[in-house]
Amino acid sequence: MLIDPSYEVKADYAAMPALLRKVHAKWNVGVLALWYPVLASGAERPMVAALEALGLPKVLRHDIRFPPAREGHGMIGSGVFVVNAPFGIEAEADRIGRLFRAH
């Protein structure tokens, strides 16, 4: 399941850890992936810390950073938090991350 909140509603950041915990409690064998923006302000950091504190199984967290799209743009990367991460996803995430670092 891919969860892609708008994050335009700032309460989404605080709501996501509880949502992932709730979905995992009902579907503990499912692969759950939460996308989030990496922001210059760091607004995603408390959410990511709360996600990691949940202690969910087979977690992969992967961030990619890139320059802002334009002057003053706050998004400087993209992240994903995967629960029950399938075999091979970590190597593929690292491969994609290297592509971004090459530019």
Side-chain angles (χ1 to χ4, degrees):
M1 170 188 290
L2 174 62
I3 303 169
D4 180 10
S6 72
Y7 296 110
E8 290 172 5
V9 176
K10 300 307 176 205
D12 284 348
Y13 290 101
M16 290 306 105
L19 176 67
L20 247 59
R21 183 180 60 234
K22 183 177 179 180
V23 172
H24 181 263
K26 291 181 180 275
W27 188 35
N28 66 354
V29 296
V31 176
L32 310 175
L34 172 68
W35 175 86
Y36 56 90
V38 175
L39 302 171
S41 70
E44 80 287 353
R45 288 185 203 137
M47 178 191 72
V48 171
L51 288 165
E52 290 174 337
L54 293 173
L56 297 171
K58 295 176 22 182
V59 165
L60 169 73
R61 176 185 162 214
H62 188 76
D63 292 354
I64 295 174
R65 296 185 181 262
F66 43 77
R70 62 189 173 283
E71 183 76 27
H73 193 243
M75 188 170 159
I76 58 169
S78 183
V80 67
F81 188 88
V82 183
V83 179
N84 291 326
F87 176 79
I89 193 173
E90 186 171 1
E92 186 62 13
D94 288 341
R95 184 188 73 78
I96 292 168
R98 285 192 303 276
L99 292 173
F100 277 85
R101 285 189 295 275
H103 296 324

